Amino acid sequence: MSSVQQSPELYLSGLRPTTPVLTCRYDSKKQSTPSNMIITPGLFSYAREKEPSYLPLGWSPYVQPEGQVYFAFEGNLKFVTDAYLYTRESQDRVVRFTKTARKAIEALQVTIPATAEIYLLPYDDEDCGYYIVDHATHTVSWLEAVDLDQLGIPDVVSDSHLRYALEELYWQHIEQFPSHRLQHLSLAVDDLIAIFIHGEGDHLTSSNSTFPYVAKECKQFIRVLEAAKQRLDQSPSVCIVARLWSVVSRHRLQTHYAQERARLSRDQLILDRPEPRRGIMFAGASRALFGIPRAYSESLKRLFSDEIVYVNPWRDFMRGCREEWQQYLTWSLGLSILNALSLTMSQGSATIGHLSLACCAMTLLSSLFLLLRFNDAHQWCADQAAAFLSSRRDASSGYRPTALAFAAPKAAFIWAAFLASLQTLVWLERATNAYALAAMVGVAVLVALPWSRWVHKTSSILPRWRSEAEPEGIFKV
């Protein structure tokens, strides 16, 4: 697309840059009102059909595989819109903004290639969203200079990096409008199949692959693409191919594919972002809670490395959290019963018993709250997980408050179990005397010491042995 430099604002009256993401086709608030109808004799059969609704000259209707009707115009300049042209108001708006676009292109001396088409979406009588897609270059462009923030496009590090963002928008356009000009599309299905084959193999040989689909999903998509490759003259095949190309383009944009510093591992940080300040209070609380909050904080940071979340690791993480909370909820009920019996029989320390019961209550309440709050979190999509992690991350404290909440059930139960175990010492002291109790504790320490050294030596050997002999000969990165 070539042009002579002039001020676009003089000619783009009412035309506003937009993208396929900003069309909000899935967020429409319009509602239908079904009503009763009379079926006339032979309707759609031997009798004549009703007189069809007429469209402006040059416009034709098409249907996207999901069911959305849209309209395309063929001519020297090609247009496409999902405004409902069967209504007079939409017709008038689209025709008027089509003329506006033609005048602007002529005044700006812009050459639109034959492989391009212009998308129009009238908002009202005064404003209309637009963008230009080129089927030859697989990119989206506009008639004026636009800012990335203005269009909701992520920041980039180079022109080649920006191209992946524009390619993603192009493929989203094809997904939304796949039913016309099928013969002019270059879908490169073989290249897409090769990418998914690599994604499958990468997940099978690496535990931190950045590819957005796991091995099982890649295998299924390869089968789908092989079938779609035989039916590229059908819009459903074009739609699914475009959708997968859009995912691949977004993946390359997020991983800085082919850039100086590419993301090669899922938990690898490549963006220059300030680290949260070291929290002395959090460090002390984490130590008091057996280091559990710190472990959760690190896990949450890894899940949202450089503000990217992968849906399968997120779901695995939340599934593990829910299982842990359910487990300690059950255990806390059992320990509460033991504490209650101990207090009833007056065989132990009332203070220790009440403290242990309080910790059990903390385990019970925090587990119930977390299970209800994150009832379906293990089924969230990537966008939902990203929204949650983004909202919970603080510039100064990171994920520390969330980590403390997640750690509460386990840490409180450990304290409850520790306090309850002290009752055993109290019982022994009352059953015998303090000297006999001290002797038994000393003997237990002496017996346990050699075993603890053996366990330490064994545990230091086992991880190295496992890494040298992976099962079935599969090497994990």
Side-chain angles (χ1 to χ4, degrees):
M1 187 171 70
S2 60
S3 67
V4 175
Q5 294 295 326
Q6 298 187 38
S7 177
E9 291 80 5
L10 298 176
Y11 311 104
L12 297 174
S13 176
L15 293 177
R16 305 286 182 259
T18 188
T19 70
V21 178
L22 301 178
T23 57
C24 299
R25 61 189 288 126
Y26 293 105
D27 300 324
S28 175
K29 303 301 182 183
K30 294 182 180 179
Q31 295 181 330
S32 300
T33 306
S35 61
N36 184 46
M37 293 186 68
I38 301 298
I39 303 176
T40 57
L43 182 63
F44 305 123
S45 180
Y46 59 84
R48 290 191 305 170
E49 295 187 10
K50 291 183 177 180
E51 185 176 351
S53 301
Y54 291 101
L55 297 173
L57 185 63
W59 288 89
S60 301
Y62 298 90
V63 180
Q64 198 258 7
E66 292 176 334
Q68 176 70 45
V69 63
Y70 71 93
F71 305 86
F73 176 87
E74 287 291 331
N76 293 332
L77 284 178
K78 300 171 178 62
F79 295 90
V80 63
T81 183
D82 45 12
Y84 195 65
L85 293 189
Y86 288 130
T87 64
R88 191 66 184 177
E89 182 183 35
S90 295
Q91 282 189 21
D92 293 341
R93 288 176 176 176
V94 169
V95 170
R96 182 167 62 255
F97 284 114
T98 298
K99 294 178 180 179
T100 301
R102 291 180 183 277
K103 291 179 181 179
I105 291 170
E106 181 179 352
L108 294 171
Q109 301 180 31
V110 175
T111 301
I112 303 294
T115 56
E117 62 187 15
I118 303 172
Y119 169 79
L120 296 176
L121 177 61
Y123 303 130
D124 49 41
D125 291 335
E126 303 297 331
D127 296 304
C128 176
Y130 85 97
Y131 59 78
I132 304 169
V133 295
D134 192 338
H135 298 299
T137 61
H138 293 178
T139 56
V140 175
S141 61
W142 297 266
L143 295 172
E144 57 194 291
V146 294
D147 186 83
L148 295 183
D149 291 337
Q150 175 187 354
L151 298 177
I153 300 175
D155 294 342
V156 296
V157 297
S158 67
D159 289 343
S160 60
H161 193 206
L162 174 60
R163 183 180 181 87
Y164 293 119
L166 301 180
E167 283 184 0
E168 179 189 358
L169 296 177
Y170 168 81
W171 289 114
Q172 289 177 344
H173 172 84
I174 299 301
E175 178 190 347
Q176 296 174 15
F177 306 100
S179 305
H180 70 293
R181 306 191 73 190
L182 294 174
Q183 67 277 13
H184 299 290
L185 300 178
S186 175
L187 299 176
V189 181
D190 286 332
D191 294 342
L192 188 58
I193 291 174
I195 292 171
F196 273 84
I197 290 174
H198 174 266
E200 180 184 5
D202 197 26
H203 272 286
L204 291 173
T205 57
S206 171
S207 60
N208 284 307
S209 173
T210 62
F211 199 70
Y213 296 112
V214 296
K216 181 179 179 181
E217 293 171 328
C218 288
K219 190 171 185 177
Q220 294 172 335
F221 281 126
I222 292 170
R223 177 185 57 80
V224 170
L225 290 171
E226 291 285 2
K229 182 182 175 182
Q230 309 303 321
R231 300 168 180 83
L232 294 182
D233 58 340
Q234 302 292 322
S235 60
S237 297
V238 174
C239 179
I240 194 62
V241 170
R243 180 177 296 179
L244 294 178
W245 264 123
S246 173
V247 173
V248 170
S249 297
R250 186 186 314 122
H251 164 252
R252 290 180 170 181
L253 176 68
Q254 292 175 337
T255 59
H256 291 215
Y257 182 83
Q259 304 306 306
E260 180 181 5
R261 185 76 170 94
R263 178 175 290 103
L264 306 178
S265 176
R266 195 164 54 228
D267 55 0
Q268 185 178 10
L269 299 174
I270 64 173
L271 300 182
D272 184 14
R273 299 185 184 278
E275 285 289 327
R277 295 191 300 270
R278 182 179 178 85
I280 299 178
M281 293 183 62
F282 176 79
S286 184
R287 289 182 180 179
L289 299 178
F290 313 100
I292 302 172
R294 182 177 179 182
Y296 268 114
S297 179
E298 293 299 321
S299 296
L300 291 168
K301 285 169 58 178
R302 286 194 298 271
L303 285 171
F304 205 44
S305 298
D306 285 342
E307 299 185 356
I308 299 174
V309 60
Y310 292 86
V311 66
N312 288 291
W314 163 261
R315 289 176 177 175
D316 291 341
F317 170 76
M318 287 309 304
R319 196 175 291 111
C321 288
R322 287 180 53 80
E323 290 175 356
E324 177 182 292
W325 300 332
Q326 290 171 346
Q327 180 185 57
Y328 286 107
L329 171 63
T330 305
W331 289 359
S332 67
L333 291 174
L335 188 56
S336 297
I337 295 173
L338 290 177
N339 282 319
L341 291 174
S342 173
L343 291 173
T344 302
M345 294 184 298
S346 301
Q347 294 298 316
S349 169
T351 302
I352 293 177
H354 286 116
L355 288 175
S356 182
L357 271 175
C359 291
C360 286
M362 177 69 72
T363 302
L364 178 64
L365 293 175
S366 59
S367 296
L368 286 174
F369 171 78
L370 291 168
L371 287 170
L372 292 174
R373 170 64 180 83
F374 299 99
N375 178 49
D376 60 345
H378 60 294
Q379 299 173 340
W380 284 356
C381 66
D383 290 339
Q384 291 174 300
F388 169 77
L389 291 170
S390 179
S391 65
R392 291 298 184 273
R393 186 186 59 186
D394 184 78
S396 59
S397 61
Y399 292 107
R400 292 166 192 162
T402 304
L404 285 169
F406 278 28
K410 183 177 182 179
F413 179 81
I414 293 176
W415 272 114
F418 171 74
L419 291 170
S421 66
L422 294 181
Q423 292 282 34
T424 305
L425 301 181
V426 175
W427 293 337
L428 289 174
E429 189 273 336
R430 291 181 177 179
T432 57
N433 56 61
Y435 296 106
L437 174 62
M440 286 187 287
V441 171
V443 171
V445 170
L446 291 175
V447 171
L449 188 60
W451 285 101
S452 63
R453 291 178 179 176
W454 179 84
V455 169
H456 176 73
K457 291 181 179 180
T458 305
S459 62
S460 64
I461 295 173
L462 285 177
R464 182 167 61 252
W465 174 80
R466 285 198 297 265
S467 65
E468 293 172 353
E470 288 289 344
E472 301 181 5
I474 297 177
F475 175 75
K476 297 285 186 181
V477 177

